[in-house]
């Protein structure tokens, strides 16, 4: 079962690095193009009042937090998820910022 967290009304996937990589491999085996992003708290803060940006972000296939602060704000206590995030186990690709 896939767990999600909500930060500023944006649903983010909460997966360990191992589960995230498995999901990426499933996407690579498919015919369609899938989008995967790791998003930092700064970007979430900038976009928290931009409804159009939030809607676009929700269309991402796999949206993962990239900073411990995001997990803390969602009161996540899963030590595997926290450790993977702190160790930069996943490759980082940050989300584009909302319109300024």
């Amino acid at each position: 079962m896939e767990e999600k967290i909500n930060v500023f009304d944006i649903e983010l996937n909460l997966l360990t690095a191992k589960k995230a990589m498995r999901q990426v491999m499933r996407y690579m085996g498919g015919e369609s193009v899938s989008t995967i992003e790791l998003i930092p708290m700064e970007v979430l803060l900038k976009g928290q009042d931009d409804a159009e940006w939030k809607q676009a972000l929700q269309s991402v296939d796999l949206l993962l937090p990239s900073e411990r602060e995001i997990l803390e704000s969602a009161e996540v206590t899963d030590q595997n998820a926290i450790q993977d995030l702190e160790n930069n186990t996943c490759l980082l690709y940050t989300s584009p910022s909302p319109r300024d």
Side-chain angles (χ1 to χ4, degrees):
M1 182 168 117
E2 184 176 319
E3 189 175 342
K4 293 198 178 235
I5 57 174
N6 187 301
V7 180
F8 305 129
D9 295 324
I10 296 173
E11 295 285 322
L12 291 97
N13 304 88
L14 182 61
L15 303 172
T16 62
K18 188 179 222 178
K19 288 180 182 177
M21 291 306 292
R22 285 184 182 146
Q23 186 67 38
V24 169
M25 295 303 290
R26 278 194 287 275
Y27 289 158
M28 291 177 69
E31 293 295 318
S32 62
V33 174
S34 298
T35 53
I36 302 163
E37 294 191 37
L38 281 114
I39 190 162
M41 181 60 102
E42 178 185 358
V43 173
L44 286 175
L45 287 169
K46 278 180 147 180
Q48 66 182 326
D49 297 323
D50 187 336
E52 187 176 324
W53 177 77
K54 283 183 182 181
Q55 184 176 8
L57 205 55
Q58 290 305 136
S59 68
V60 172
D61 295 301
L62 188 60
L63 183 61
L64 301 164
S66 69
E67 296 175 340
R68 182 185 186 121
E69 292 80 14
I70 296 171
L71 300 183
E72 289 172 353
S73 69
E75 299 178 359
V76 172
T77 58
D78 180 335
Q79 290 303 308
N80 288 330
I82 293 169
Q83 185 175 7
D84 283 350
L85 190 118
E86 288 181 338
N87 292 335
N88 292 318
T89 304
C90 293
L91 297 175
L92 294 180
Y93 170 77
T94 56
S95 175
S97 295
R99 288 179 271 146
D100 292 319

